[in-house]
Amino acid sequence: MAALPRLVCASSVVLAVWAGFCSAVCVEVPSETEAVQGTHMKLLCISCMKREEVTASTVVEWFYRTDGGKDEPIYKYEKKIYEFPSRFSGRLQWNGSKDMQDVSITVLNVTLNDSGIYTCNITREFEFEIHRPLFTSSRQIHLTVVEEAGEDFTSVISEIMMYILLVFLTLWLLIEMVYCYRKVSKAEEAAQENATDYLAIPSENKENCAVPVEE
């Protein structure tokens, strides 16, 4: 039993270290591609850097185009914010991180006309002692705006599985109740039969049934 508290303590330490490690890791998560009209939509754009590359000057450019159209600049971040005149004027909000690994923006009050392709271009100039290399990366988001939110397929499956589980548990409970009831009934019948048989024995035979006491 003394080993159990030690195991719990060691597990807690490992979980704490792992949580701290995970929180410092940059993960390039893809953006959602469907928005509901009238809501705010975060266009997620993450470009991870290695720890030794954090010192860098970053320029972020956002473009928008309709299907078959041309890229139209709508937003730029270079030490400060530049918002280009477009259909999104006054509806774009910077939503990036201080280390410039997350360079996302949010579109406010999304409309049906906001459907299209959004491109996030990232240019980094790393500040090393010997040289200053320049790297570029790009992310594309194919956004579709709908009038109403559709029911999530995963939630539908979860609800179906929940109902199936409830039905299964109910049936299992009924079977267990019937089984227990029949078992108790058989036990009561056996007890009644033994009592009936005992009462049917003549009184003189009952006395003979007594166990003799050894001296």
Side-chain angles (χ1 to χ4, degrees):
M1 296 296 294
L4 183 58
R6 294 180 182 177
L7 180 60
V8 173
C9 182
S11 302
S12 302
V13 172
V14 171
L15 289 174
V17 172
W18 177 253
F21 174 76
C22 290
S23 62
V25 173
C26 175
V27 181
E28 296 186 7
V29 182
S31 177
E32 294 184 3
T33 57
E34 184 176 292
V36 180
Q37 181 182 11
T39 62
H40 300 339
M41 177 63 185
K42 181 178 180 179
L43 302 175
L44 192 62
C45 182
I46 298 178
S47 179
C48 297
M49 294 185 293
K50 297 179 181 178
R51 184 171 299 177
E52 64 272 11
E53 296 176 344
V54 172
T55 305
S57 58
T58 304
V59 177
V60 182
E61 296 175 300
W62 279 91
F63 297 86
Y64 167 80
R65 77 170 184 266
T66 57
D67 293 335
K70 295 182 179 180
D71 282 335
E72 172 188 353
I74 58 174
Y75 201 85
K76 183 177 181 180
Y77 188 97
E78 186 177 6
K79 296 184 179 180
K80 63 179 181 178
I81 295 172
Y82 300 90
E83 187 173 345
F84 296 91
S86 66
R87 71 178 70 188
F88 303 98
S89 296
R91 295 195 296 125
L92 298 178
Q93 185 178 75
W94 176 253
N95 212 335
S97 59
K98 293 182 179 180
D99 59 6
M100 298 300 292
Q101 300 200 74
D102 182 355
V103 292
S104 307
I105 61 173
T106 297
V107 182
L108 307 177
N109 299 321
V110 176
T111 68
L112 295 176
N113 293 329
D114 294 340
S115 297
I117 302 173
Y118 295 80
T119 304
C120 169
N121 290 339
I122 305 122
T123 304
R124 299 192 194 277
E125 184 179 3
F126 295 102
E127 301 172 1
F128 296 118
E129 295 181 357
I130 302 176
H131 59 297
R132 301 173 68 89
L134 196 67
F135 294 95
T136 60
S137 60
S138 182
R139 306 283 186 275
Q140 277 194 349
I141 302 170
H142 296 255
L143 182 66
T144 302
V145 181
V146 296
E147 294 183 359
E148 296 180 355
E151 194 167 5
D152 189 11
F153 180 73
T154 304
S155 63
V156 174
I157 296 297
S158 300
E159 290 181 3
I160 293 174
M161 294 300 296
M162 181 184 66
Y163 288 127
I164 292 175
L165 181 60
L166 288 175
V167 172
F168 172 78
L169 291 176
T170 303
L171 292 176
W172 177 80
L173 182 60
L174 290 174
I175 293 172
E176 285 291 323
M177 291 175 64
V178 172
Y179 173 77
C180 292
Y181 176 77
R182 293 182 62 182
K183 190 174 182 180
V184 171
S185 298
K186 288 182 179 180
E188 290 179 351
E189 290 176 1
Q192 290 178 357
E193 289 178 359
N194 292 335
T196 303
D197 294 340
Y198 179 77
L199 293 175
I201 298 174
S203 58
E204 60 272 12
N205 292 339
K206 293 179 181 178
E207 294 176 356
N208 294 334
C209 290
V211 179
V213 180
E214 296 182 357
E215 296 181 356

